[in-house]
């Protein structure tokens, strides 16, 4: 009775359609063919073996199945009864319709017209694509070192606006290390699933379809073909003879009737690699295709490959691909901040053991047979290992517990600040004379102080989170403009998120103990006495320098605000009040010659009998600048994890 009751419920779920697409004449598998149902509302693509798997909702069982690929006639039939055996689909070649044309001007006119018609051919309102993403890094033999996969939602802005940006949500994901007899691999690829936006050459108006760069490219018409029974222009593009600015070379496909871009494939030129490949790649290639749905063309697939020789480790052969499996053209709400992946976040940290049923219920891109074999072999090895070494309670068999250092890094952040240091400085003339008893040194230096209302400072800080909101803080700071001086601060900071369901906006409070030196250089002079000792410190260098300084100890309570720019970066602004505890005036002498690691410094506290200090020709024991109380700063914080 239980199974009888479960039967209707199970029948409501998606039904899997499996198929294989081959060439009608050669019977060889056809990869990258587009497979769609219900006018491409849902779909997938064939893998390297020509196979596909499509999850069909019950509401679409009466719809038509379509298979299309550039250069072949479109296959269109009603869906077969499901469930059923693997469907075999044979595509017939469509004859080329156009010959070689060498009139470059008219070919460029086709490209210009296609760009002008983007508002007619592509979505003019936000669209959400459900997609499947996969990436891997292959060894020199072509075997993948790891596999990362994800089910993602890609939010697309209107194509009326030129952009390479967009939101990505990762709904489900896994990462599998496929290396044998090695320590677990560390994968820190950033922005992987964002190729759904970065590879969309129509949305971003890539250089080879940008009017500002047409002068750098040579466009030619190649023998034509068809796509989904539509005649297309096949246009090759590349740098003009002698041009070293063009970044790309390849070909694009434009429908003859609508002038819609149906796809393109291209690689980076040496100039493009120098300008655009941040990871110093040796080669980079892309292939992008679009599909029709509801009267517009939408992104279907992005294929991305990068090869590079790294300074450390084996050569890199990175491969990533994105496949649209469903399209939503309704008024899609932009995903909230907390749901969006960040471009510079590591794509996948999770480690999930391979399971052939992992993507059950979702349409994905089937892995090639060689990759499936690697996954299956690893699964068997893991099962064998689990017989001898059971997994620890609460952890995944492939997941390694984070080390103490990793746990420390997750609590660690650092940042840099700039601001105004509160120092009141009137214009004044300074003169100092110092003749230590028993030595031949006589220091007589003079300097002019300019009136100054604003003294700048920079600060570098480290924070370690004690709790979610409370952190220990250590910082160093330096003054700039006519005054110099280094300082440090130690204390606690508190941060509370006012918007836990949206982009974090923080209220900040802190209390620190600060010591800061404010000094005025007085220049360099020769040291006549190699045995000179000042305040118990030997200063035997041939050349010395002098400076007058104040050393301030204070408490620093602060209040401020913080705005998270990404999951790792935060913009902060603080207002602080200095509560002075003590202050002293000093004359400092520094060695300026000899090996810099062994140079010494000595300070003489003022007032002192052998030091004559004058301000505007009047004897004094105080320097003219005065420490004020209010301090303002703005900065950027970075979280390691």
């Amino acid at each position: 009775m239980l199974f009888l009751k479960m039967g209707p419920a199970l029948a409501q779920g998606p039904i899997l359609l499996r198929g294989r697409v081959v060439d009608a004449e050669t019977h060889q598998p056809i990869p990258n063919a587009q497979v769609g149902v219900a006018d491409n509302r849902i779909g997938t693509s064939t893998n390297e073996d020509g196979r596909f798997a499509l999850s069909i909702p019950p509401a679409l069982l009466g719809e038509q199945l379509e298979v299309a690929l550039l250069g072949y006639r479109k296959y269109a039939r009603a869906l077969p009864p499901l469930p059923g055996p693997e469907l075999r689909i044979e595509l017939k070649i469509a004859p080329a319709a156009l010959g070689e044309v060498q009139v470059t001007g008219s070919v460029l006119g086709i490209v210009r017209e296609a760009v002008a018609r983007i508002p007619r051919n592509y979505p003019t309102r936000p669209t959400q694509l459900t997609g499947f993403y996969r990436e891997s890094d292959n060894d020199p033999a072509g075997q993948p070192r790891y596999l990362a996969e994800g089910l993602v939602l890609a939010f697309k802005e209107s194509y009326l606006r030129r952009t390479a940006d967009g939101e990505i949500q990762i709904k489900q994901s896994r990462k599998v290390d496929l290396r044998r007899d090695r320590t677990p691999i560390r994968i820190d690829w950033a922005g992987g699933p964002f190729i759904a936006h970065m590879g969309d050459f129509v949305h971003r108006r890539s250089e080879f379809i940008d009017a500002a760069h047409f002068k750098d490219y040579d466009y030619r018409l190649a023998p034509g073909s068809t796509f989904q029974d539509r005649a297309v222009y096949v246009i090759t593009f590349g740098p003009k003879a002698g041009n070293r600015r063009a970044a790309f070379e390849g070909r694009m496909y434009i429908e003859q009737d609508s002038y819609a871009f149906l796809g393109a494939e291209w690689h980076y030129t040496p100039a493009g690699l120098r300008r655009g490949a941040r990871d110093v790649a040796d080669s980079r290639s892309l292939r992008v295709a679009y599909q029709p749905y509801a009267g517009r063309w939408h992104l279907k697939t992005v294929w991305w490959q990068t090869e590079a020789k790294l300074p450390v480790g084996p050569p890199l052969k990175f491969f990533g691909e994105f496949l649209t499996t469903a399209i939503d053209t309704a008024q899609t709400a932009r995903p909230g901040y907390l749901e969006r992946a960040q471009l510079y976040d590591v794509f996948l940290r999770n480690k999930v053991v391979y399971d052939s049923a992992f993507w059950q219920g979702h349409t994905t891109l089937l892995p090639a047979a060689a990759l499936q074999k690697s996954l299956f072999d690893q699964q068997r090895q893991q099962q064998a290992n689990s017989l001898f070494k059971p997994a620890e309670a609460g952890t995944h068999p492939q997941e390694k517990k984070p080390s103490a250092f990793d746990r420390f890094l997750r609590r660690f952040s650092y940042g840099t600040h700039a601001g105004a240091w509160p120092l009141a400085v009137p214009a004044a003339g300074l003169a100092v004379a110092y003749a230590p008893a028993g030595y031949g040194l006589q220091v007589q230096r003079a300097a002019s102080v300019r009136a100054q209302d604003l003294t700048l400072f920079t600060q570098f800080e480290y924070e370690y989170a004690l709790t979610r909101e409370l952190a220990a803080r250590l910082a160093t700071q330096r003054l700039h403009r006519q005054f110099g001086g280094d300082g440090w601060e130690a204390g606690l900071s508190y941060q509370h998120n006012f918007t836990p369901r949206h982009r974090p906006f923080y209220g900040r409070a802190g209390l620190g103990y600060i010591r800061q030196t404010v000094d005025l250089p007085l220049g360099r002079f020769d040291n006549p006495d190699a045995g000179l000792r000042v305040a118990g410190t030997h200063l035997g260098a041939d050349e010395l320098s002098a400076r007058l300084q104040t050393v301030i100890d204070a408490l620093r309570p602060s209040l401020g605000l913080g705005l998270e720019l990404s999951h790792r970066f935060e913009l902060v602004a603080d207002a602080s009040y200095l509560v002075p505890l003590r202050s002293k005036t000093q004359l400092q002498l520094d060695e300026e010659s000899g090996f810099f690691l062994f140079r010494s410094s000595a300070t003489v506290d003022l007032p002192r009998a052998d030091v004559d200090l004058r301000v505007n020709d009047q004897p004094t024991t105080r320097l003219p600048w005065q420490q004020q109380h209010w301090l303002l700063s703005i900065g950027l914080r970075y979280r390691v994890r």
Side-chain angles (χ1 to χ4, degrees):
M1 291 180 62
L2 178 62
F3 282 107
L4 289 175
K5 290 181 180 180
M6 290 175 60
L10 292 174
Q12 299 303 313
I15 303 175
L16 194 64
L17 168 66
R18 292 186 176 274
R20 193 179 195 197
V21 180
V22 298
D23 187 288
E25 296 182 5
T26 65
H27 303 292
Q28 294 299 309
I30 299 178
N32 304 312
Q34 295 187 11
V35 181
V37 172
D39 191 26
N40 289 315
R41 179 179 173 186
I42 64 171
T44 185
S45 293
T46 57
N47 67 3
E48 295 179 11
D49 308 310
R51 286 189 160 85
F52 68 89
L54 190 58
S55 187
I56 310 293
L60 300 183
L61 289 178
E63 296 288 344
Q64 192 173 60
L65 171 68
E66 297 181 355
V67 182
L69 184 66
L70 189 72
Y72 287 88
R73 293 177 181 172
K74 182 174 69 173
Y75 170 94
R77 302 284 189 279
L79 280 169
L82 295 176
E86 181 180 71
L87 184 65
R88 181 181 175 88
I89 298 173
E90 296 185 349
L91 295 186
K92 297 180 180 179
I93 294 178
L98 296 172
E100 183 75 25
V101 177
Q102 299 294 339
V103 183
T104 304
S106 64
V107 178
L108 180 56
I110 295 173
V111 179
R112 289 184 182 275
E113 182 64 22
V115 173
R117 294 199 190 186
I118 288 176
R120 300 189 203 176
N121 292 322
Y122 297 87
T124 57
R125 63 183 185 181
T127 306
Q128 180 173 277
L129 306 179
T130 301
F132 178 75
Y133 175 76
R134 175 182 292 136
E135 69 176 41
S136 64
D137 172 27
N138 299 328
D139 61 23
Q143 294 297 317
R145 295 186 179 97
Y146 77 91
L147 176 74
E149 296 178 323
L151 181 69
V152 302
L153 300 181
F155 181 86
K156 290 274 184 185
E157 292 279 5
S158 164
Y159 278 71
L160 296 175
R161 186 171 76 90
R162 175 180 186 170
T163 179
D165 300 326
E167 281 74 41
I168 290 290
Q169 291 179 261
I170 301 175
K171 306 297 290 185
Q172 186 176 351
S173 60
R174 71 172 176 185
K175 179 181 69 179
V176 184
D177 184 359
L178 299 176
R179 302 185 306 168
R180 300 173 183 268
D181 303 325
R182 293 188 182 183
T183 56
I185 191 169
R186 181 181 179 88
I187 305 167
D188 280 343
W189 274 101
F194 280 83
I195 65 172
H197 300 304
M198 296 185 290
D200 189 347
F201 74 92
V202 175
H203 210 171
R204 70 184 303 171
R205 311 296 198 272
S206 291
E207 184 177 294
F208 53 86
I209 62 169
D210 183 356
H213 295 276
F214 284 159
K215 62 182 181 298
D216 298 327
Y217 285 89
D218 183 25
Y219 298 89
R220 296 180 181 273
L221 199 61
S225 190
T226 62
F227 176 73
Q228 294 196 352
D229 298 334
R230 307 163 189 254
V232 298
Y233 297 111
V234 182
I235 297 178
T236 63
F237 58 89
K240 286 184 177 179
N243 183 279
R244 297 184 179 180
R245 294 183 299 273
F248 308 111
E249 184 174 12
R251 64 176 57 205
M252 66 184 91
Y253 307 96
I254 301 174
E255 187 185 17
Q256 292 184 22
D257 292 336
S258 67
Y259 285 86
F261 293 102
L262 307 191
E265 52 197 45
W266 69 94
H267 63 267
Y268 281 61
T269 64
L273 290 173
R274 287 192 299 270
R275 295 205 315 263
R278 299 177 183 175
D279 48 16
V280 196
D282 296 312
S283 68
R284 174 166 291 169
S285 304
L286 290 93
R287 184 172 64 240
V288 177
Y290 298 84
Q291 65 178 353
Y293 174 68
R296 301 281 175 166
W297 289 84
H298 302 262
L299 183 71
K300 178 63 177 179
T301 59
V302 179
W303 176 92
W304 186 303
Q305 181 169 322
T306 296
E307 296 186 13
K309 294 186 175 104
L310 304 179
V312 179
L316 171 72
K317 290 188 176 181
F318 170 78
F319 173 75
E321 54 189 337
F322 172 84
L323 165 71
T324 298
T325 59
I327 302 172
D328 182 4
T329 58
Q331 289 291 350
T332 305
R334 182 186 297 273
Y337 175 82
L338 297 180
E339 290 77 34
R340 300 199 303 260
Q342 300 292 322
L343 178 61
Y344 293 103
D345 286 346
V346 174
F347 170 41
L348 297 174
R349 294 191 183 282
N350 60 313
K351 299 177 181 179
V352 180
V353 168
Y354 173 69
D355 179 1
S356 59
F358 186 77
W359 296 112
Q360 190 171 3
H362 297 293
T363 294
T364 63
L365 180 63
L366 292 176
L371 180 56
Q372 292 190 55
K373 183 178 183 303
S374 295
L375 292 169
F376 180 69
D377 290 344
Q378 189 204 54
Q379 182 186 25
R380 289 192 304 174
Q381 184 63 45
Q382 290 170 345
Q383 290 173 346
N385 292 342
S386 65
L387 296 176
F388 301 97
K389 186 178 180 181
E392 296 183 29
T395 65
H396 197 281
Q398 192 188 8
E399 186 176 1
K400 186 178 179 180
K401 292 182 65 176
S403 66
F405 182 68
D406 285 337
R407 292 194 296 271
F408 169 77
L409 285 181
R410 291 173 186 175
R411 292 173 172 264
F412 185 70
S413 65
Y414 59 87
T416 182
H417 296 251
W421 187 266
L423 197 66
V425 184
L430 282 176
V432 62
Y434 174 48
Y439 300 99
L441 178 68
Q442 290 188 353
V443 179
Q444 291 185 341
R445 311 300 294 176
S448 297
V449 178
R450 303 187 307 275
Q452 183 173 304
D453 296 326
L454 182 65
T455 298
L456 302 180
F457 82 99
T458 55
Q459 184 180 74
F460 196 83
E461 69 171 16
Y462 307 84
E463 283 195 2
Y464 182 78
L466 303 174
T467 67
R468 184 180 295 273
E469 296 182 326
L470 185 65
R473 181 171 177 270
L474 179 65
T476 60
Q477 57 258 354
R478 169 164 292 195
L479 301 187
H480 301 278
R481 297 187 73 183
Q482 68 173 322
F483 295 97
D486 296 320
W488 58 267
E489 179 182 2
L492 297 173
S493 66
Y494 176 82
Q495 187 164 273
H496 178 72
N497 184 10
F498 293 132
T499 55
R501 297 183 179 274
H502 303 283
R503 179 187 295 274
F505 182 67
Y506 298 100
R508 293 163 49 86
L511 179 62
Y513 181 90
I514 190 169
R515 171 170 289 181
Q516 180 64 47
T517 299
V518 181
D519 63 52
L520 180 69
L522 299 176
R524 300 186 179 192
F525 50 89
D526 294 332
N527 179 15
D529 197 333
L532 176 65
R533 299 188 73 87
V534 175
T537 302
H538 177 232
L539 301 178
D542 295 334
E543 188 178 27
L544 303 177
S545 65
R547 66 185 65 222
L548 286 169
Q549 64 186 27
T550 56
V551 181
I552 304 154
D553 289 87
L555 291 178
R556 181 188 175 189
S558 63
L559 292 174
L561 298 172
L563 178 65
E564 187 170 295
L565 303 179
S566 72
H567 291 334
R568 292 197 175 189
F569 289 95
E570 179 187 344
L571 181 67
V572 297
D574 294 305
S576 308
Y577 188 84
L578 293 180
V579 182
L581 299 178
R582 65 185 65 86
S583 176
K584 55 185 176 182
T585 303
Q586 296 176 328
L587 171 67
Q588 178 167 314
L589 301 181
D590 301 303
E591 291 185 326
E592 297 295 342
S593 59
F595 188 55
F596 71 95
L597 291 178
F598 300 105
R599 294 177 186 175
S600 299
S601 299
T603 57
V604 177
D605 292 335
L606 304 181
R608 183 178 169 125
D610 53 4
V611 178
D612 179 27
L613 175 63
R614 293 176 179 269
V615 175
N616 296 329
D617 292 329
Q618 299 298 318
T620 184
T621 60
R622 299 175 61 86
L623 295 173
W625 54 84
Q626 296 294 323
Q627 183 67 54
Q628 302 300 302
H629 298 288
W630 287 103
L631 184 153
L632 302 175
S633 67
I634 186 169
L636 192 66
R637 290 180 56 204
Y638 174 80
R639 299 181 184 91
V640 176
R641 292 290 179 105

